[in-house]
Structure formats: C-alpha cells, structure tokens
Amino acid sequence: MLADLQLRNFRCFESLGIEFSPGFNFFVGRNGQGKTSILEAACVLLRLQSQRSSTLAPIVRFGEKSFAVSGRGEDHLLEFRYSPLRRRAAFDHVEQRMLNEYLRVARVVSFANTDIELVRGGSETRRRYLDFLAAQIDLLYRPTLRAYERALRSRNALLKSPHPRSRELAAYDPPLLEYGAKLSAMRARLVERLAPLATAAYREISGAGERLELKFSPGNSDDFARDLADSRAQESRFRQTVIGPHRDDIQILVEAHPANGYASEGQQRTVALALKIAQSRVFRMEEGTPPLLLIDDIFGELDPVRRNSLLLHLPADAQKLVTATTMQWRENGVEGPISKLEDGRLHRST
C-alpha cells in the first residue's frame, strides 16, 4: 500500500501532499486540473518511470529545473529527484546505486482511456505494454532492454551517416544480436504467460462466448544474424535497422480474427481491459500480492455491463487510485475517500 505522496515541481503542481487509504481513493475534478498527474507521480515514485511518457523530462514543471516525489510504501520511505543531469533515488534516506531493493517495494498497473490503442495502435504501444510489465517482474529485463536500445541507436546513427562503412557497422552486430535474442525470448515467455490470463479476463468481462487469443509476433526469425545480413540492402535504402526486437509485436485475435479490424469498439475496449487485468494477475502469481491500480477516468466511459464486470474482477484487496470528472457513475458498494481537485489544491470531502 502507498500511504502518502508528496510532489514538488511535478507537471502543474508546485507542491502537493496526499494521504491514501486502502481500497478505493477517488480524485474528482474538471479536465486539466492535474488528476492524471497524481497517478503519474505515484507511478514515477514506485517504478521510476511514467506510464504516460517514455521519458521523464516533460514532467518537470514549466520554468523549473527538476522535480521531486516522495512517499511511504510498505513502511519504507521512498524519495526520487530528477533533473536532466542527475537522477537520485533514496530508500529510507539512503541513496541507492543499485535499485533492486527500491523497486521491490511495489508493482503498478495503469488503466486509461488510451488503452484502446493497445488494440488499434501500432506495435510500439504493445511493446511498451510488455516492457512496463516485464521490468517489474524480471530484474534482468530492464538492463537487457537498455543494452539492446544502446546498440540499436549506435547502429542507426551510423546508418544515417553520409558514408557508413560495413566494417564499422558490423562492430555493432554482436551486441545487437546478443541482447536482441535475450529480449525477444523474454517477451515471448511473457506473452505465453499472459495469454491464458487475458483470455479468461476477456470472457469474464464480456460475458460472451467469444475467444480472445494473444500470440507473440517477433521482429525477426530464429536466425537473427541471417535476417540482419539479408536486410543490408533495405538498411541502405531506409538508413535504419529494419529487423529485430524493436519490431516485436503481439497479435491480438478475437474469434480468430485480428481485433483491430474485426472487433467492435466495445469489444476492443474489453480487450484492452482484459490485457490490464492479465497484468494484475501476473503480479498476483509472481508476488502473491496485488499491484497498485492507477485507474484514470475510465469508468464513466464504460457501459454499465462492462463497468460492473470490471469492478467485479479487479483484485478486491488492491489499493486503487481513481480519477473522474464526476462520481455519478459510482456503483453501490464502491466506497472510498473522495478528494476534489481544484486550482492545484485537494479538498477531501469524504
């Protein structure tokens, strides 16, 4: 459980302090008041990354040079300060060089209206879905991903140079191949674990007999080295690496048809919810405890059947931070403190 959260120079907030209760915690206000930023701050504190942005630089309040978040989770004080030049994470007042102990405190799953892009959008969205989960359950995943990305960036920079030399280019192939093979294998195993959980969650939420299937679609064949050698002409034409795990994807099928073309909007939203519930269940299986759920203004967008089904199948003992513009959607039995956000201030009304 996250007991409290303090923000400084975070997005629109100069300073804000929040206390949380177990179960549901509601944050209500007009759009643009910073509700989503509270959820983002909780994610940044616990996971040192944003569920909204691939980098932390946009989070710094306009006109400031750094931001800071702190809070107490599982009886430990966590502190994180970011500036473009330095990141500092402290665990019980001790600055951390290795982050394993810090990141062990909590797991996070984020729900948002934009989750439908997991079905409709490009492969990058689905890779981020896998990366966000995998980095929380496998300590080797983040360094493997970073090592692959470094090799890929260096290789692409060389391909974009006026006269890339094949010998220089070949120097980046070994790390690309080594870490790429490891990364794709990790993702393939993760999709294999997620698939039955997502299938079950989709059936539970939809209440229908339709079948959801997930299949890993790698960005290269089992012979990555041969693929890379065979793609030289394409690389010269496009001036970038065209084969590899940066092209990995998840194939999402409803009734054996691609969900992005076959499924209705309601079915696509159900698929997205099922994918997030599957994440929650992976954490339950791995850790034996539920993750913190960040639920960003989605209940008002769901029809009553899907809303009730989702509420029924969220982990009952999970702490939930929920944003909304109104509480008119709230169902009986869904109780928790309500805080109204207005002009950068929180007013707890319940």
Side-chain angles (χ1 to χ4, degrees), residues 104-307:
R104 198 178 294 124
V105 169
R107 306 294 182 264
V108 173
V109 174
S110 170
F111 295 76
N113 275 323
T114 54
D115 290 341
I116 199 169
E117 291 302 308
L118 287 168
V119 184
R120 293 178 177 174
S123 60
E124 182 180 0
T125 306
R126 290 179 287 276
R127 284 194 299 275
R128 284 198 69 198
Y129 164 82
L130 290 178
D131 293 344
F132 188 72
L133 171 58
Q136 297 187 65
I137 61 175
D138 187 342
L139 293 175
L140 296 178
Y141 189 88
R142 186 192 295 264
T144 302
L145 174 62
R146 296 292 178 259
Y148 177 79
E149 290 175 337
R150 281 195 301 272
L152 181 65
R153 280 196 302 270
S154 298
R155 199 172 186 280
N156 283 344
L158 188 59
L159 283 166
K160 288 179 170 60
S161 64
H163 304 289
R165 297 178 181 177
S166 58
R167 183 176 296 180
E168 293 176 345
L169 199 61
Y172 291 109
D173 288 357
L176 194 81
L177 294 170
E178 177 187 354
Y179 293 108
K182 292 178 181 178
L183 184 61
S184 276
M186 290 175 175
R187 286 173 173 168
R189 289 194 297 270
L190 182 56
V191 173
E192 188 176 350
R193 295 172 62 190
L194 281 165
L197 301 175
T199 298
Y202 182 84
R203 189 181 302 116
E204 292 162 4
I205 299 171
S206 67
E210 301 161 342
R211 179 173 176 80
L212 169 68
E213 296 177 82
L214 303 184
K215 297 180 180 180
F216 182 61
S217 180
N220 53 272
S221 73
D222 291 339
D223 195 341
F224 188 9
R226 173 60 63 87
D227 292 342
L228 203 60
D230 291 345
S231 67
R232 298 297 192 206
Q234 277 187 293
E235 289 182 339
S236 297
R237 187 163 64 253
F238 294 108
R239 303 179 73 180
Q240 63 179 347
T241 307
V242 297
I243 293 291
H246 58 290
R247 299 294 181 91
D248 286 349
D249 201 354
I250 308 173
Q251 190 178 10
I252 303 175
L253 306 172
V254 175
E255 291 295 278
H257 298 285
N260 61 348
Y262 169 81
S264 67
E265 179 173 343
Q267 289 172 316
Q268 290 178 355
R269 290 198 178 277
T270 303
V271 170
L273 293 173
L275 289 172
K276 292 307 182 80
I277 289 177
Q279 280 189 332
S280 300
R281 292 177 178 176
V282 167
F283 288 131
R284 169 69 80 182
M285 292 166 61
E286 282 285 327
E287 309 293 332
T289 56
L292 172 67
L293 304 183
L294 307 177
I295 304 175
D296 191 16
D297 204 12
I298 68 168
F299 287 129
E301 298 295 324
L302 299 175
D303 62 64
V305 172
R306 286 185 174 85
R307 185 167 63 231

Side-chain angles (χ1 to χ4, degrees), residues 5-11 13-16 41 44-45 59-61 64-71 78-83 88:
L5 181 65
Q6 288 77 42
L7 323 180
R8 183 168 295 278
N9 296 327
F10 192 101
R11 294 283 189 186
F13 296 110
E14 178 181 3
S15 179
L16 185 70
V44 169
L45 175 66
I59 294 174
V60 179
R61 189 168 181 259
E64 301 294 338
K65 297 180 180 179
S66 64
F67 73 76
V69 290
S70 63
L78 305 178
E79 301 167 281
F80 178 61
R81 179 180 294 275
Y82 168 89
S83 74
R88 176 184 179 274

Side-chain angles (χ1 to χ4, degrees), residues 274-348:
L275 289 172
K276 292 307 182 80
I277 289 177
Q279 280 189 332
S280 300
R281 292 177 178 176
V282 167
F283 288 131
R284 169 69 80 182
M285 292 166 61
E286 282 285 327
E287 309 293 332
T289 56
L292 172 67
L293 304 183
L294 307 177
I295 304 175
D296 191 16
D297 204 12
I298 68 168
F299 287 129
E301 298 295 324
L302 299 175
D303 62 64
V305 172
R306 286 185 174 85
R307 185 167 63 231
N308 282 315
S309 293
L310 175 60
L311 287 167
L312 180 64
H313 292 100
L314 290 176
D317 52 348
Q319 188 179 32
K320 308 166 186 75
L321 310 186
V322 182
T323 70
T325 54
T326 174
M327 294 299 294
Q328 293 178 355
W329 59 267
R330 186 165 60 163
E331 308 293 337
N332 292 332
V334 180
E335 302 297 334
I338 302 172
S339 298
K340 185 175 182 181
L341 186 60
E342 190 172 18
D343 298 327
R345 295 179 179 274
L346 273 179
H347 308 277
R348 181 166 287 199

